[in-house]
Amino acid sequence: MTTDGWLRQLWLRPAGRVGVILLVVMSLTAAIGPAFLPDPLAQPDLAQGGLRPPDQIHLLGTDYHSRDVMARVVTGARVSLAVAFGAVLLSITLGGMVGLAAGYLGSWIDAALMRLVDAALAIPRLFLLLIMVASMERIPLWLLIVAIGATGWFGTSRLVRAEVRRLRAMDFVRSAEALGATRRRILARHLLPNVLGPLTVATTLAVGDVILLEAGLSFLGLGVQPPTPSWGGMIMENKSFLVTAPWTSLAPGLAIVIAVVAVNLIGESLHQDPAPPLS
Amino acid sequence: MTMLLAVRDLRVSFPGATGPVYPVDRVSFELARGETVALVGESGSGKSLTGMALLNLVPAPGEVAPGSSVSLEGTEILKLRGEPLRRIRGARIGMVFQDPLASLNPVISVGDQIRETIQAHLPLGRREARTRAEALLAEVGLAGTPEGYQRYPHQLSGGMRQRVMLAIALAAEPDLLIADEPTSALDVTVQAQILTLLEGLRRARGLTVLLITHDLGIVAGRTDRVLVMYAGRIVEAAPTAELFAHPAHPYTAGLLGSLPRLRGPRQPLRPIPGQVPSPGDWPAGCRFHPRCAKSFAPCREEPPIVEVAGGHHMRCWLGKSGDSA
């Protein structure tokens, strides 16, 4: 099955189509939207005070510092989506490599890697992240991505390892061995492509997790630092006005929900038929 | 005749609850160049493991026990590791497995699977290898067209898949082809086609073939010699016609008796009572004696190998006592 076939299948399923449309619209908005919106850091009516409800000038109202909520949500999408995709890309790469190595090479390499993963999984991810980011005053975006990516591959590596072990016992891998295929070829041509199905599903579902994780970190004040907007950070900044000015936290909250639902719809659609049958 | 492959005291061990068990226990045979030999046995007789052991492919936790020898024209295969072993696999000895769908990678086109095997062994560029792959597809009776090349395993029928497997196994021009139950997963009519194809390929290329099967029906008329395996040992070895005409070992006679016959007087099928014991609890002495109608006192001791006729050997006490089996 080619990549082409994958996208086609995704598009043919209603849920997948909705997910793709939502995600594409969100990404495009994040990419070009800020150009058409007010400066997310500007404080136009600082004197009169902020927290203006939605009107024609500020479609989603303003926050306490009189900053435009819509501009901040759209700009914040850049951080949230960049962190989500960057971190997930990193963690599936790490998890995939560790899983392939452990599953294919077996013996002590497998044992060592998997005990390491067991140990890492025993510590809640948020703690691991807190240890990594709390020690720094200001966290650059790339470091946040690395930190989240580096703590997210444990489960993936287990998934890949289990799948590789199953595949390795299958006749086509044994047959390739019997016909003198090199290790590298077996890994690259026989194991990796057949692991991509479950890996893709896991990946899309992980994107939703990471969006929430980044929001959670920002909410705790450990993510992207103010005044740079991010979804989680906005909810945190505006939590005191949840009753008096609900639009300030509702807007980023809804953005998180939509983004997570979108990637989950995609993941679910892929999950239904991730790969051609093996037997 | 020059010997292509000599197997001596081949033993495969698996860890058991009370020490190692030997599903293949001191098997010895030779294959002459150009010969087609059938290795026949029931499920659990160790015939497939024997085939895998020839390429050092015994699945873990099993392993080939020390003292075993598989010599391919003087090269001791069991002592090879890494790159030298890889160069034997596929290039000198090709292998075809029972289930052609499971043996093909579902996400690679059949043409590319052939091409990759060619390139794994021969110093050819992508384009030349592809041309060869197309020629091979045509040789096994599949369209060597770009469309045929681009097809995926799930788009092919069982027989077509087995043809692809043959093309892959022959891609690097091996001297010996090990075919492990190549037709067991196929319909009877397709079986005949595949076996005829195999015979044609053997002749055209001067291949030596080791045909591993449980089906005596496909052995007659298609092979030069038969090795009958029971409980990890070869119990009888004879030229095919001789074996069918004069089966010497009671087990072989029992196998033939349990086959329906088209000619001759009508008689009920005579199944062999019981089952092949599992490797952990093989009886002492002759391993067939608990199921054997002709067993007598000496059978509790290890039976000798006796020559029944020229090139016809069996492992049984009956030959020793002068009794005609």
Side-chain angles (χ1 to χ4, degrees):
Chain A
M1 181 125 78
T2 57
T3 334
D4 182 69
W6 275 66
L7 289 175
R8 213 180 123 72
Q9 276 210 345
L10 189 58
W11 189 249
L12 287 177
R13 292 183 205 283
R17 194 179 296 196
V18 171
V20 170
I21 292 173
L22 281 176
L23 207 63
V24 167
V25 168
M26 286 193 105
S27 307
L28 281 179
T29 313
I32 58 174
F36 303 98
L37 288 161
D39 179 0
L41 303 185
Q43 307 175 344
D45 333 300
L46 196 53
Q48 291 97 317
L51 297 178
R52 276 168 59 172
D55 58 24
Q56 273 153 359
I57 305 162
H58 304 287
L59 287 175
L60 291 176
T62 60
D63 69 2
Y64 180 71
H65 302 287
S66 86
R67 296 175 296 198
D68 185 74
V69 172
M70 179 132 166
R72 288 182 68 73
V73 169
V74 170
T75 313
R78 290 181 168 183
V79 171
S80 293
L81 295 181
V83 170
F85 289 110
V88 166
L89 207 64
L90 180 64
S91 60
I92 60 158
T93 309
L94 287 172
M97 289 195 314
V98 170
L100 277 172
Y104 184 61
L105 298 176
S107 74
W108 65 271
I109 299 174
D110 180 30
L113 287 173
M114 285 304 111
R115 293 303 77 74
L116 205 72
V117 165
D118 285 344
L121 276 171
I123 309 167
R125 188 176 180 184
L126 201 57
F127 280 7
L128 281 177
L129 278 171
L130 288 179
I131 295 166
M132 293 174 82
V133 296
S135 53
M136 309 185 72
E137 194 114 326
R138 271 191 94 79
I139 307 124
L141 187 64
W142 69 266
L143 192 66
L144 191 66
I145 292 174
V146 168
I148 294 179
T151 54
W153 58 268
F154 313 125
T156 311
S157 72
R158 273 191 169 178
L159 175 87
V160 171
R161 170 184 175 270
E163 195 65 16
V164 166
R165 284 185 62 100
R166 187 177 73 84
L167 291 166
R168 201 178 63 158
M170 294 200 60
D171 278 351
F172 70 88
V173 178
R174 300 175 46 77
S175 175
E177 262 170 29
L179 294 169
T182 56
R183 273 185 171 187
R184 217 176 63 196
R185 179 170 299 278
I186 288 175
L187 277 169
R189 294 287 285 165
H190 296 285
L191 297 176
L192 186 60
N194 284 298
V195 164
L196 283 182
L199 196 57
T200 310
V201 176
T203 305
T204 44
L205 296 178
V207 170
D209 277 352
V210 170
I211 291 176
L212 291 174
L213 195 64
E214 185 273 328
L217 277 180
S218 299
F219 183 80
L220 293 173
L222 293 166
V224 178
Q225 295 302 300
T228 309
S230 79
W231 293 342
M234 288 178 70
I235 296 178
M236 140 88 164
E237 288 160 15
N238 296 305
K239 64 178 188 297
S240 345
F241 317 112
L242 200 58
V243 179
T244 49
W247 58 87
T248 50
S249 37
L250 214 54
L254 275 176
I256 293 173
V257 170
I258 294 170
V260 173
V261 166
V263 290
N264 277 302
L265 284 175
I266 294 173
E268 273 302 317
S269 317
L270 289 175
H271 185 56
Q272 288 176 21
D273 193 9
L278 285 170
S279 50
Chain B
M1 279 199 293
T2 52
M3 283 307 150
L4 180 66
L5 190 82
V7 180
R8 285 275 158 273
D9 290 327
L10 180 66
R11 270 186 130 185
V12 175
S13 74
F14 274 79
T18 56
V21 295
Y22 300 95
V24 175
D25 199 3
R26 295 205 186 85
V27 163
S28 302
F29 62 90
E30 287 179 335
L31 299 179
R33 198 172 261 285
E35 209 181 14
T36 302
V37 174
L39 182 61
V40 175
E42 288 173 85
S43 307
S45 60
K47 59 188 191 302
S48 287
L49 269 178
T50 303
M52 289 180 218
L54 300 185
L55 280 173
N56 214 347
L57 274 173
V58 176
E63 56 183 16
V64 175
S68 309
S69 157
V70 175
S71 160
L72 180 73
E73 288 185 324
T75 309
E76 185 55 59
I77 294 178
L78 298 177
K79 289 206 169 66
L80 299 178
R81 291 286 178 275
E83 189 61 17
L85 178 62
R86 190 189 75 72
R87 288 186 182 283
I88 297 267
R89 292 174 174 172
R92 301 291 314 275
I93 305 181
M95 194 153 183
V96 177
F97 291 94
Q98 175 171 356
D99 183 347
L101 180 55
S103 304
L104 291 165
N105 187 327
V107 298
I108 306 180
S109 75
V110 294
D112 276 342
Q113 298 196 45
I114 301 172
R115 178 181 58 74
E116 290 188 355
T117 310
I118 294 172
Q119 287 185 287
H121 295 290
L122 304 175
L124 291 179
R126 201 186 169 92
R127 191 160 303 166
E128 297 160 289
R130 185 179 167 126
T131 311
R132 269 184 89 114
E134 285 174 357
L136 270 163
L137 275 172
E139 197 179 338
V140 297
L142 293 172
T145 58
E147 302 86 71
Y149 184 95
Q150 279 304 335
R151 291 218 253 177
Y152 287 85
H154 71 273
Q155 296 172 310
L156 304 178
S157 69
M160 291 160 95
R161 287 180 198 133
Q162 199 57 289
R163 286 169 190 264
V164 173
M165 282 311 298
L166 277 171
I168 293 176
L170 299 178
E173 310 277 340
D175 302 306
L176 169 64
L177 179 71
I178 300 172
D180 186 0
E181 302 271 11
T183 61
S184 300
L186 305 173
D187 291 343
V188 182
T189 46
V190 182
Q191 269 189 14
Q193 290 169 10
I194 295 293
L195 289 168
T196 307
L197 171 67
L198 185 59
E199 175 61 17
L201 292 170
R202 187 189 70 77
R203 279 208 193 134
R205 293 162 172 262
L207 271 177
T208 306
V209 176
L210 180 65
L211 179 68
I212 301 175
T213 181
H214 67 276
D215 187 354
L216 275 169
I218 68 171
V219 167
R222 290 201 179 84
T223 58
D224 302 313
R225 281 193 303 135
V226 182
L227 311 171
V228 180
M229 207 164 166
Y230 182 81
R233 291 204 163 148
I234 292 179
V235 294
E236 183 161 8
T240 308
E242 160 81 8
L243 186 100
F244 277 86
H246 309 290
H249 196 285
Y251 176 64
T252 313
L255 276 185
L256 290 171
S258 56
L259 283 180
R261 282 175 185 272
L262 290 177
R263 292 184 209 102
R266 218 172 233 273
Q267 48 182 319
L269 295 181
R270 285 169 284 116
I272 306 173
Q275 296 172 342
V276 184
S278 59
D281 39 46
W282 279 334
C286 170
R287 289 172 179 175
F288 185 58
H289 86 262
R291 298 173 73 189
C292 181
K294 296 183 177 173
S295 74
F296 58 123
C299 297
R300 296 178 190 286
E301 306 289 323
E302 192 64 33
I305 295 173
V306 290
E307 180 155 20
V308 183
H312 184 173
H313 296 81
M314 71 162 169
R315 186 189 287 268
C316 181
W317 282 106
L318 287 174
K320 206 71 176 175
S321 65
D323 192 331
S324 67

